Amino acid sequence: MSSCPCGSGASYDACCGPLLANREQAATPERLMRSRYTAHVVGDADHLFRTWHPRTRPDDTTPDPRTRWTGLEVLAAEGDTVEFVASWEGGRMHEVSRFEQRAGRWVYLDGDVT
C-alpha cells in the first residue's frame, strides 16, 4: 500500500502504518483519528481496541469486512476534538469525535454523529 488511506498525502509507512503496528503513539487526536479510519479500511480490530477508551469501548471492535471505505475528510481538529466525514460505498458519516489522554496516550472517547 503506497499512499495512506487516511488521505494525508503521506505514504502508509510514513503515516498510519507505524501506529497500526504499535511502534508509535499518536501525538495528536487528529493523527489518532486518521489511524483509526485506516484501521477500519484495513480491518485492524486490534488497533481499534487498543485506541478506544475502556469505559466506552464495545466488546467487539471488528470492522465490518463488507464496508468499502472510500475517503476521509477532516473538517476541523482543535484541542481534544476532531470533526470529520468518512465515506464508504453507498454512504457517509459526519462525526465530531472526542479524545482523552490516558497514561500519556490519546484514546478515542466518543463522538456525536450527524
Side-chain angles (χ1 to χ4, degrees):
M1 175 178 322
S2 56
S3 67
C4 195
C6 80
S8 68
S11 72
Y12 175 79
D13 291 338
C15 190
C16 293
L19 278 71
L20 271 66
N22 204 23
R23 291 191 313 265
E24 288 182 15
Q25 300 302 316
T28 66
E30 180 182 351
R31 182 124 190 260
L32 180 62
M33 187 278 307
R34 286 181 178 279
S35 75
R36 288 176 53 82
Y37 170 83
T38 298
H40 280 281
V41 172
V42 301
D44 189 336
D46 290 339
H47 182 70
L48 294 170
F49 184 88
R50 129 177 117 247
T51 60
W52 207 317
H53 195 293
R55 189 174 69 236
T56 58
R57 179 178 56 219
D59 292 334
D60 185 8
T61 58
T62 306
D64 185 342
R66 297 169 297 183
T67 302
R68 299 287 175 236
W69 295 96
T70 58
L72 175 68
E73 180 183 2
V74 175
L75 304 175
E78 189 173 319
D80 61 357
T81 63
V82 179
E83 180 180 5
F84 66 92
V85 173
S87 302
W88 63 90
E89 287 179 2
R92 62 193 296 266
M93 176 182 76
H94 178 208
E95 180 173 328
V96 176
S97 296
R98 285 178 290 280
F99 296 85
E100 183 176 290
Q101 280 198 310
R102 286 179 50 90
R105 296 173 59 175
W106 285 107
V107 292
Y108 171 76
L109 183 59
D110 60 19
D112 295 322
V113 177
T114 57

